[in-house]
Amino acid sequence: MTRSMRLLTTASVLAVAALGATPALATGTVAGTTITNTVTLNYQVGGVAQSAVTASDSFTVDRKVNLTVAEDGSATTSVSPGQVSAVTTFIVTNTSNAPLDLALAASQLAGGSAAHGGTDTFDVSNVRIYRDDGDGSYDSGDTLVTYLDQMAADAITRVFVVVDVPLGLSTADVAGVRLTAAAAEATAAGSQGAAVTETSGANTAGVDTVFADTSANGNTARDGADFAGDDYTVLAAALSAAKTSRVISDPFNGVTDPKMIPGAVVEYCIAVSNAAGSATATNVNISDTLPATTSFLAGFGILVNGTVTGATCNADGTAGGSQAGGVVSAPLSDIAGGVTRTVLFRVTVN
């Protein structure tokens, strides 16, 4: 009896070792795998070895359904008012021990806290989901999808949520988005399978299904789905314009205490400022229709991109702009946050 038990123990160790020699996925043994264990009983009668007795047992590995959705990165996505095709990126992983289709849905927050702080204050539009073509960046090679087809166990896929941002927004406005993936049967390539359901009741002889997803990041535990959030934070330009005038000379007093009388030369300054911390404003242009009671002073011209000292515009710009039909037009260079640029020109009072 002692010898037989020793042999049984050795056989068990060998069986375990044999099982351990099979490489395992990070998600565990593949669902549907049949695991068989055989025990061998050796014995003697009258000192003569008898035919060994064996017994086997088999069971089928059930399906553990688990998946994760995670934001790719840890910062909000900075956008401009009116921007099209703004992108947030997520990583979707099938951590189940079987292939799955994963149904995808992108939704927006309805107020409340956004993923990176702040409060959701606006909605984006034209929300769509793309599967990365493998190069890690959103481009024309990516595929518009509503689900991930036939994702193998341990498979990882990068997914882009792409939206359009409305106009009329201010710096620090936030739109929160959420990407949800839900387990579906990988029944046939090219079509989304039915939603996976968990096996109820006792263990069966076939392949049962167990939901193993957790409540991390606000998810509902064991519902066969997972989600993660990201947000779009607006960085806008905040331009303001101030227009001032000062009399340079008049026909009687010259430049000494001149008055705004007919024939006087008046200098106009348009100061365009971008608030500190704002996005750089580009392609800035001004258009100023002159009063009919004034005439443009072509001899002075137009100075653009000058500076301001206190409330006084400096005549330190460069020649630029044009005047036609009583309308002064002038382009300004890009205006970064905290910067002021000016347009300076002169008229005579009719």
Side-chain angles (χ1 to χ4, degrees):
M1 184 68 175
T2 301
R3 180 169 179 263
S4 297
M5 287 300 294
R6 185 179 297 115
L7 289 172
L8 178 59
T9 301
T10 303
S12 299
V13 171
L14 291 174
V16 171
L19 287 174
T22 303
L25 296 172
T27 53
T29 304
V30 175
T33 299
T34 298
I35 296 179
T36 301
N37 179 268
T38 300
V39 62
T40 300
L41 176 63
N42 297 297
Y43 67 99
Q44 293 180 353
V45 175
V48 179
Q50 305 297 303
S51 298
V53 176
T54 61
S56 297
D57 177 76
S58 298
F59 62 86
T60 302
V61 176
D62 290 326
R63 181 172 61 169
K64 180 189 75 172
V65 172
N66 196 12
L67 59 147
T68 60
V69 180
E71 175 194 358
D72 186 12
S74 58
T76 187
T77 299
S78 181
V79 295
S80 302
Q83 182 176 340
V84 297
S85 297
V87 180
T88 56
T89 307
F90 296 88
I91 302 298
V92 181
T93 306
N94 179 16
T95 54
S96 309
N97 65 338
L100 292 174
D101 285 352
L102 296 182
L104 299 177
S107 58
Q108 302 193 54
L109 299 183
S113 297
H116 298 286
T119 301
D120 176 82
T121 56
F122 74 95
D123 284 344
V124 291
S125 63
N126 193 22
V127 181
R128 58 263 195 216
I129 303 170
Y130 285 85
R131 178 175 184 160
D132 182 29
D133 59 4
D135 62 5
S137 60
Y138 173 66
D139 52 39
S140 60
D142 301 324
T143 304
L144 183 67
V145 295
T146 57
Y147 72 100
L148 299 178
D149 193 30
Q150 304 278 304
M151 278 195 74
D154 287 320
I156 300 172
T157 299
R158 178 176 281 102
V159 171
F160 304 112
V161 174
V162 184
V163 305
D164 296 341
V165 180
L167 287 166
L169 298 172
S170 301
T171 295
D173 282 344
V174 176
V177 293
R178 172 179 291 175
L179 179 69
T180 301
E185 300 290 353
T187 49
S191 62
Q192 182 183 321
V196 173
T197 57
E198 191 173 35
T199 303
S200 60
N203 186 56
T204 69
V207 178
D208 295 337
T209 296
V210 176
F211 288 158
D213 51 286
T214 71
S215 60
N217 301 317
N219 279 271
T220 300
R222 302 193 64 180
D223 65 349
D226 196 61
F227 65 76
D230 199 354
D231 44 52
Y232 299 92
T233 300
V234 174
L235 180 60
L239 292 184
S240 61
K243 186 173 182 180
T244 58
S245 62
R246 67 187 183 98
V247 61
I248 301 298
S249 64
D250 73 43
F252 299 96
N253 297 303
V255 296
T256 302
D257 299 325
K259 306 297 187 291
M260 297 279 195
I261 61 175
V265 174
V266 177
E267 183 177 86
Y268 279 120
C269 174
I270 302 168
V272 180
S273 301
N274 193 5
S278 300
T280 298
T282 60
N283 296 317
V284 181
N285 285 273
I286 68 100
S287 178
D288 189 337
T289 300
L290 300 179
T293 52
T294 65
S295 298
F296 179 72
L297 192 59
F300 181 81
I302 303 170
L303 300 178
V304 299
N305 293 313
T307 62
V308 173
T309 301
T312 303
C313 294
N314 302 312
D316 57 358
T318 57
S322 62
Q323 186 277 146
V327 178
V328 173
S329 301
L332 292 175
S333 61
D334 294 351
I335 305 177
V339 173
T340 297
R341 294 280 183 260
T342 64
V343 176
L344 201 70
F345 60 92
R346 292 178 178 178
V347 297
T348 55
V349 178
N350 293 338

